[in-house]
Amino acid sequence: MLSVLRVHLPSDIPIVGCELTPYVLLRRPDKTVTTDDVSETNPLDGHFLRYKWYRVQSDKKVAVCSIHPSEQATLQCLGCVKAKIPVAKSYHCTSKCFSDAWQHHRVLHDRAASAINENGNEEEELFGRFNNSGSGSSNTSLSASASSASLTNGSAPLYPAAVTQRSGGETWFEVGRSKTYTPTADDIGHVLKFECVVVDAETKLPVGHASTLLTSRVIPAPSPSPRRMIPVDPMGHLDADGRITSSGSFTVLSYNILSDAYASSDLYNYCPSWALSWPYRRQNLLREIVGYRADIICLQEVQSDHYEEFFSPELDKHGYYGLYKRKTNEVYNDSNNKIDGCATFFRRDRFSHVKKYEVEFNKAAQSLTDAMIPTTQRKTALNRLVKDNVALIVVLEAKVNNQPVDNPGKRQLLCVANTHVNVQQDLKDVKLWQVHTLLKGLEKIAASADIPMLVCGDFNSVPGSAPHALLAMGKVDPSHPDLAVDPLNILRPHSKLVHQLPLVSAYSSFARTMGLGYEQHKRRLDSTTNEPLFTNVTRDFIGSLDYIFYTADSLVVESLLELLDEESLRKDTALPSPEWSSDHIALLAEFRCCKNRSRR
């Protein structure tokens, strides 16, 4: 007969909005062991599995710490309550916790006061508002009827209120009837119970004892510090003759989301295991990405299975159409599903898809070695050049209502390149060659059409490196130290390391702004290159690797998503963290099309 051998959860800390799927080990009637589900619609030898989830609701009220959400709170900041800051952010587990977090915590007070003074109510911020709906639940015991009113976990929308009465003032409320359960704000501070039992398909009665497990208390999804869009002085983008903007603005997001295949506990041992798990990170990433409301989204390190099964269908619900280019797998030989790539999404109501180009640097490497490398050295050359990196180039057309007002009949096209350049720091020649190859391809597109361009991605190159210089300056100084690494002589003559695209880094616009209000943003830039001080933060590295470049003859930066600083990340915090689910930070820029001028 069918029997349950074991049930357990990958993580014993449940988080609001993060799907829980227990691992259920079964023994079939033929004595084989499996983890496959046995449903009522497809019973096995006359039996199936029935699942139930319960909330164990105690008379004792429980609040959780806003800094360490797996810990119970012992004190509350009354200043937060007075300022009407979401109550979940007011709790702390110890006085030391509150003291250590004060510098960051004080920012919440300042912003709340500023918002009330300026707007008369709390300011809506770009990201960080998603968890507010449950902010008052961590210290509130809801009635059974209120708790069950919005339940949707399982096959039926509503369940009976009280199911079992336990001693010690605890009541169990049924909250789900499927194997998977997603905790809600009502569950915050409460233990969940999972029950699995074998049922006779004919009588519908349980056979034998139920297998159960209890979770830790449900915690709210950590809420990161809000990031606001900062207007950029448009005068910094005008030529002497004063170019005039001519069509509606649009926003572009670039974000390396950290592939699950790379998110190992060995590499990121400072991040709690529950916050590093993919079920948690994917929901947190989705909340963040959707919250930015970008018109165009460029993601890197998107696993092919995660694109197909999660990001594509989920972003489709929010009005996005997606295109994807997986890395080639000549080097990476693991499961094809775990190979990551670049994904570009755009709002269907703003743009339509015209054309897609896929750049496989492996193919370019093969062509290069065939043309330049002696036969006896080609294997060695390919071993150095073939790294599976790719780029995805998409040509979009703006919808009719976004056409330039001065020429309604002209198609408004936009070319968006999304790439992830090789990571190995000792392969400086390969990085530069990949960037140069991409730019040469974009030059061909520019030569065939008068089209604004965006070049986004993780270039794995710090400001001032040769790849960055090529992108930002259009050339590389022959004396640049990076050029010393060129064992295959693929970078010679150095005079060929040029391009004619008038590319400018979007975030360098902060350096051109005027006024006291921009000083804090300028302090987050490198004074030499005017790039952000960091876009990637781990225990081993802090620096900028990600960029959004644009053609300055056809686009103007209107506003930028504010950069994070050490205060925003909290002291001694590296990424990923419970608040931020990638080791990179997102970049977001708002652009406006403008009349063209001559190219450089």
Side-chain angles (χ1 to χ4, degrees), residues 378-511:
R378 284 179 185 170
K379 184 176 180 180
T380 301
L382 288 173
N383 284 340
R384 187 171 183 86
L385 291 173
V386 171
K387 299 301 174 190
D388 291 339
N389 299 92
V390 297
L392 175 61
I393 303 173
V394 178
V395 177
L396 304 175
E397 180 178 3
K399 296 287 189 176
V400 174
N401 61 343
N402 290 316
Q403 290 285 0
V405 295
D406 57 341
N407 192 357
K410 183 180 179 181
R411 297 175 72 190
Q412 180 62 61
L413 300 177
L414 177 67
C415 179
V416 182
N418 180 10
T419 191
H420 189 187
V421 171
N422 186 252
V423 67
Q424 293 173 255
Q425 294 305 309
D426 58 328
L427 299 179
K428 298 182 186 299
D429 54 326
V430 177
K431 293 177 188 288
L432 180 55
W433 169 76
Q434 288 183 350
V435 171
H436 184 251
T437 300
L438 173 61
L439 291 171
K440 287 299 160 184
L442 292 173
E443 277 190 321
K444 291 179 181 178
I445 297 173
S448 64
D450 182 15
I451 182 170
M453 288 192 170
L454 294 164
V455 187
C456 308
D458 176 359
F459 293 86
N460 272 309
S461 303
V462 297
S465 63
H468 178 266
L470 181 60
L471 284 158
M473 307 301 294
K475 61 183 179 180
V476 181
D477 191 308
S479 63
H480 197 291
D482 284 2
L483 299 183
V485 181
D486 186 18
L488 302 175
N489 288 324
I490 59 173
L491 304 179
R492 296 180 183 277
H494 296 157
S495 58
K496 75 177 182 180
L497 298 175
V498 297
H499 69 88
Q500 299 302 314
L501 301 173
L503 295 179
V504 175
S505 175
Y507 270 80
S508 67
S509 301
F510 271 140

Side-chain angles (χ1 to χ4, degrees), residues 44-63:
L44 182 63
D45 196 30
H47 296 85
F48 65 92
L49 294 179
R50 176 183 293 160
Y51 307 107
K52 287 187 179 181
W53 285 90
Y54 300 92
R55 178 193 307 126
V56 184
Q57 199 145 314
S58 172
D59 292 342
K60 182 181 178 182
K61 295 181 179 180
V62 176

Side-chain angles (χ1 to χ4, degrees), residues 151-454:
L151 293 171
T152 57
N153 285 285
S155 56
L158 296 174
Y159 302 110
V163 175
T164 306
Q165 184 70 37
R166 292 186 61 197
S167 61
E170 289 185 336
T171 307
W172 294 359
F173 296 107
E174 186 179 324
V175 293
R177 287 183 181 175
S178 64
K179 185 177 182 180
T180 297
Y181 177 71
T182 302
T184 69
D186 293 342
D187 299 319
I188 293 175
H190 301 294
V191 171
L192 298 176
K193 176 183 174 183
F194 172 71
E195 179 183 278
C196 174
V197 65
V198 177
V199 175
D200 186 292
E202 185 175 342
T203 66
K204 310 300 183 189
L205 295 175
V207 178
H209 296 289
S211 297
T212 62
L213 61 79
L214 294 175
T215 70
S216 300
R217 295 185 186 276
V218 177
I219 64 174
S223 181
S225 303
R227 296 178 66 188
R228 296 169 293 181
M229 292 297 285
I230 308 300
V232 176
D233 182 4
M235 293 302 294
H237 300 274
L238 296 181
D239 290 335
D241 57 350
R243 288 176 296 145
I244 302 173
T245 57
S246 59
S247 67
S249 64
F250 62 92
T251 52
V252 180
L253 173 74
S254 184
Y255 197 6
N256 180 327
I257 62 170
L258 180 58
S259 167
D260 185 46
Y262 307 143
S264 69
S265 55
D266 291 337
L267 191 60
Y268 302 104
N269 56 13
Y270 49 83
C271 182
S273 59
W274 58 266
L276 198 57
S277 69
W278 181 242
Y280 172 74
R281 289 205 307 118
R282 72 176 188 176
Q283 293 295 341
N284 206 33
L285 287 166
L286 182 66
R287 276 196 297 268
E288 181 183 2
I289 291 166
V290 170
Y292 292 135
R293 301 172 185 158
D295 297 306
I296 300 168
I297 299 171
C298 295
L299 303 180
Q300 302 87 43
E301 287 196 24
V302 181
Q303 285 181 203
S304 55
D305 56 336
H306 294 165
Y307 174 81
E308 295 291 344
E309 298 170 9
F310 184 71
F311 285 108
S312 182
E314 289 299 322
L315 288 173
D316 177 73
K317 297 175 185 176
H318 293 274
Y320 290 97
Y321 180 83
L323 297 159
Y324 182 72
K325 175 57 183 174
R326 193 184 71 178
K327 285 182 181 176
T328 46
N329 60 349
E330 293 185 36
V331 176
Y332 192 86
N333 294 317
D334 206 333
S335 166
N336 283 344
N337 284 338
K338 290 189 176 181
I339 298 175
D340 65 286
C342 297
T344 299
F345 297 88
F346 60 88
R347 285 193 179 278
R348 291 189 296 267
D349 62 343
R350 294 294 310 272
F351 296 98
S352 57
H353 173 222
V354 176
K355 198 164 186 177
K356 177 175 101 169
Y357 301 90
E358 296 182 348
V359 180
E360 294 184 0
F361 294 115
N362 283 6
K363 288 183 178 179
Q366 186 67 59
S367 300
L368 178 69
T369 53
D370 288 346
M372 291 182 56
I373 307 297
T375 305
T376 56
Q377 300 175 23
R378 284 179 185 170
K379 184 176 180 180
T380 301
L382 288 173
N383 284 340
R384 187 171 183 86
L385 291 173
V386 171
K387 299 301 174 190
D388 291 339
N389 299 92
V390 297
L392 175 61
I393 303 173
V394 178
V395 177
L396 304 175
E397 180 178 3
K399 296 287 189 176
V400 174
N401 61 343
N402 290 316
Q403 290 285 0
V405 295
D406 57 341
N407 192 357
K410 183 180 179 181
R411 297 175 72 190
Q412 180 62 61
L413 300 177
L414 177 67
C415 179
V416 182
N418 180 10
T419 191
H420 189 187
V421 171
N422 186 252
V423 67
Q424 293 173 255
Q425 294 305 309
D426 58 328
L427 299 179
K428 298 182 186 299
D429 54 326
V430 177
K431 293 177 188 288
L432 180 55
W433 169 76
Q434 288 183 350
V435 171
H436 184 251
T437 300
L438 173 61
L439 291 171
K440 287 299 160 184
L442 292 173
E443 277 190 321
K444 291 179 181 178
I445 297 173
S448 64
D450 182 15
I451 182 170
M453 288 192 170
L454 294 164

Side-chain angles (χ1 to χ4, degrees), residues 521-538:
H521 304 293
K522 291 183 179 182
R523 286 195 295 269
R524 300 172 189 177
L525 300 178
D526 176 77
S527 59
T528 303
T529 62
N530 292 330
E531 295 288 5
L533 289 174
F534 61 82
T535 65
N536 179 231
V537 184
T538 68

